[in-house]
Amino acid sequence: MRLATWNVNSIRSRLDRVADFLDRQDIDVLAMQETKCRDDQFPFERFDELGYEVAHVGFNQWNGVAIASRVGLENVELAFPEQPGFDKNAGESLISTPIVESRALGATCGGVRVWSLYVPNGRTLTDPHYTYKLEWLAALRDNGAKWLADDPKAEIALVGDWNIAPTDDDVWSVEYFADKTHISQPERDAFEAIVDTGYADIMRPFAPGPGVYTYWDYTQLRFPRKEGMRIDFILSSPALAARAKDAIVDREERKGKGASDHAPVIAEFTD
DNA sequence: ATGGCGTTATTTTAACGA
């Protein structure tokens, strides 16, 4: 099975690219992030024509996650249990009213429990969104641990845009990010806690760093200068990781006009 | 020095991204 994850930065802007990618890379299951549309705006028809079923969750122009599969799509969940929400009016009211955002979608595809994840950005180290990011990751870890406790042999893929560069090898400049999010110790600890639970970054052995990235800023000629970050991951449960045969970043998709700022990560699993 | 670019929408500026 060939599984990919890709922050497409608007599915409506990237539809032709995504369709070409599915064909060119012979993808069975594609998890997408930042679809940036509501369910009624998602181009389901195009995927149907290509032979893929799609599950999507999107409430507005922000966030939005989807899974397209040609090997089945069952038991769809539109968020993970107890998924934290963001309360933009925190402190202004005695009543907390967090809104759960469209950042996680689960579905079983070809026997694999796939979660398409768009981890909160965090914005800055002192922003309420940073605390939200850490809470969100802690809640995800708790769920991931429970899923494995319930069934240690479960084949689970936690994939998507994690908005964390786990090691210094995963950013083009440690100095540049020193006072920014994505490389702070609490973020790295939160990511590592999920790895420690049993979910392995299966691409690293096939694509050793430094200099292997999945995201390059649109500005400052970051892509041609090879100044990127590795923040998109396919984390696999032990049973699934044992089937990992290959994994790559498809840098071709960051080239040319109309590219997302993220490139897809692709994993191949033995049947 | 907060640009540089790209996306969205209750668009002609603002929010968000990382």
Side-chain angles (χ1 to χ4, degrees):
Chain A
M1 185 174 89
R2 290 175 63 78
L3 167 68
T5 184
W6 191 6
N7 179 322
V8 295
N9 186 16
S10 169
I11 187 57
R12 288 174 293 172
S13 288
R14 224 64 65 204
L15 189 52
D16 287 341
R17 278 228 181 215
V18 170
D20 290 348
F21 167 76
L22 290 170
D23 178 62
R24 181 169 61 81
Q25 288 286 6
D26 193 25
I27 300 299
D28 295 305
V29 180
L30 173 63
M32 289 166 272
Q33 299 84 38
E34 281 208 272
T35 57
K36 291 188 169 176
C37 67
R38 299 184 306 266
D39 291 346
D40 64 284
Q41 298 172 310
F42 191 93
F44 290 101
E45 305 76 17
R46 183 72 175 275
F47 285 88
D48 184 59
E49 289 166 11
L50 297 169
Y52 293 83
E53 295 175 86
V54 178
H56 175 260
V57 58
F59 305 126
N60 49 41
Q61 70 269 44
W62 311 122
N63 316 308
V65 285
I67 298 174
S69 172
R70 63 179 185 190
V71 292
L73 190 71
E74 299 170 346
N75 301 319
V76 172
E77 285 181 86
L78 303 181
F80 59 75
E82 309 298 321
Q83 182 179 316
F86 183 76
D87 183 359
K88 67 178 170 60
N89 296 317
E92 295 179 12
S93 166
L94 294 174
I95 301 168
S96 179
T97 52
I99 304 295
V100 175
E101 300 175 314
S102 48
R103 294 182 176 276
L105 182 141
T108 301
C109 308
V112 177
R113 188 66 185 161
V114 178
W115 281 93
S116 180
L117 305 167
Y118 180 43
V119 175
N121 170 292
R123 300 192 181 182
T124 68
L125 297 174
T126 55
D127 194 289
H129 285 89
Y130 179 76
T131 310
Y132 169 50
K133 180 180 194 173
L134 297 177
E135 289 170 353
W136 204 94
L137 287 161
L140 177 61
R141 174 206 61 204
D142 291 346
N143 275 277
K146 182 177 184 303
W147 296 330
L148 276 182
D150 290 347
D151 179 9
K153 290 193 164 65
E155 296 190 333
I156 304 169
L158 307 180
V159 313
D161 177 356
W162 293 77
N163 272 321
I164 298 169
T167 75
D168 288 352
D169 279 356
D170 299 318
V171 290
W172 65 274
S173 167
V174 177
E175 292 73 25
Y176 181 84
F177 288 99
D179 59 348
K180 298 178 176 66
T181 58
H182 292 60
I183 72 166
S184 75
Q185 200 56 50
E187 290 168 277
R188 286 180 167 176
D189 288 348
F191 183 87
E192 207 57 40
I194 293 174
V195 173
D196 288 346
T197 299
Y199 296 91
D201 165 16
I202 57 154
M203 190 179 75
R204 181 85 299 182
F206 296 107
V212 174
Y213 305 129
T214 66
Y215 164 88
W216 299 262
D217 198 295
Y218 281 127
T219 70
Q220 308 287 346
L221 297 173
R222 292 290 187 225
F223 183 64
R225 289 180 176 170
K226 304 186 189 306
E227 296 173 344
M229 313 173 77
R230 193 170 76 103
I231 56 176
D232 299 86
F233 298 94
I234 294 178
L235 300 193
S236 303
S237 66
L240 182 61
R243 290 174 53 201
K245 191 172 157 186
D246 193 16
I248 62 156
V249 180
D250 186 0
R251 292 182 72 262
E252 290 302 310
E253 286 299 344
R254 185 60 181 80
K255 298 179 181 176
K257 194 172 162 60
S260 169
D261 43 3
H262 293 252
V265 173
I266 307 169
E268 176 150 9
F269 299 100
T270 56
D271 293 326

